[in-house]
Amino acid sequence: MVEPARTGGAPSFLIVSMRYLGDVLLSTPLALSIKEALPEASVDYLVLPGGDAILEKNPSVRVAYTIPPGSRSVMEFLGRFRRYDYAFGANPSDRTAICAIGAGKTTAGFSYFSRKEWWKRRLYDECLPYDDQVHIVPLILSLLEVVRIPAVPRVVMGFDGEDRRFAREVAGSDGYVLLHPFARKEYKYWPPECWGALARFVSERIGLVPVFSVSPSPSDRPVLARILENAPAGTRTLARVLSFPQLAAVLAGAKAYVGVDTVVTHMAAAVDVPTVALFGPTWAHHWGPWPNGEISSAPYGAKGRVQRMGRITVVQKDWPCVPCNQETCALTGGGRIECMAALSTEEVFRELRHVMERASR
């Protein structure tokens, strides 16, 4: 343990998260905790391209630098060697470790503690085991122990008044439920026919407008077309792919949200909209949407089932093989993901109603 150092009267911090968008978002309690304990501190990020968009309007973050994967830019960044008082590696990747170790005077990060990762244990000032049996948010916050900063377990997704006005233009000002069917990997997808049926239930049974997000991937356009073929009249789609702050504002204006295991679902939880997350093979105990203010290191159990945490519900099949944490399904020999296909529209809608009722109390 060390006391926060001060350079020119204020300590400087770098958070390195060289993984996916969801990883970056789920590391934001680290920045928030630092700024609440040390308001004068500067907090910067180093991320892959695109990760900076998640942090664009985060009030705790001064600047987000980007490095393309596989780029010689890592060496250019290390020209800032020991620039920061503290550098935290927010995930166990080698690239993250190299940049954090190179950039900070005092460093902390994660390792799987395998034989080939001996150098992380040697070079980090504080090297912690990456424990995937606890949730990623409290795991990342454990890095703060090196500087004795209290953890604030709240994920932050920034947006402003301009984004709110834009959200009203694209999503409408009447009551709507935002539905997000897309993810980076197709093994997380729910069948289009189920999404269309869910939109019908939202419209006919609770009298709200179903609004579908759109995806930047051209391969998702046929998916959305199939969904809309099964959806009721009056179903809306967002006009285009939005910036992350704009999408956060759309989420904040929704009566509820339903989505698959992806960064947008973590955004929904962060802005406290009633959220139903559809999980298949993924470990909910490690990657489930974080309930803001939760103090437990493991809000979700390891077994697949419906799990309710305040404004968040994770819907997952209660099968012996779930969650398998695999991208292919042993039941179908590599075909469709059976535990996702088996989630019925009725059970998802039932949980949607329940989470909305809990949020209104």
Side-chain angles (χ1 to χ4, degrees), residues 28-107:
T28 56
L30 200 55
L32 176 65
S33 300
I34 293 167
K35 291 296 287 184
E36 292 214 352
L38 301 167
E40 75 279 15
S42 60
V43 181
D44 296 348
Y45 261 83
L46 181 64
V47 295
L48 295 174
D52 53 330
I54 285 286
L55 303 167
E56 179 184 348
K57 295 186 179 179
N58 187 313
S60 299
V61 179
R62 183 179 67 170
V63 64
Y65 299 102
T66 62
I67 291 182
S71 169
R72 295 175 62 182
S73 299
V74 171
M75 298 309 298
E76 294 174 12
F77 180 82
L78 292 180
R80 303 185 175 102
F81 189 74
R82 301 303 190 210
R83 169 177 173 176
Y84 291 89
D85 294 315
Y86 300 95
F88 294 136
N91 58 61
S93 80
D94 290 352
R95 188 186 291 108
T96 290
I98 290 168
C99 291
I101 291 166
K105 297 172 185 175
T106 298
T107 62

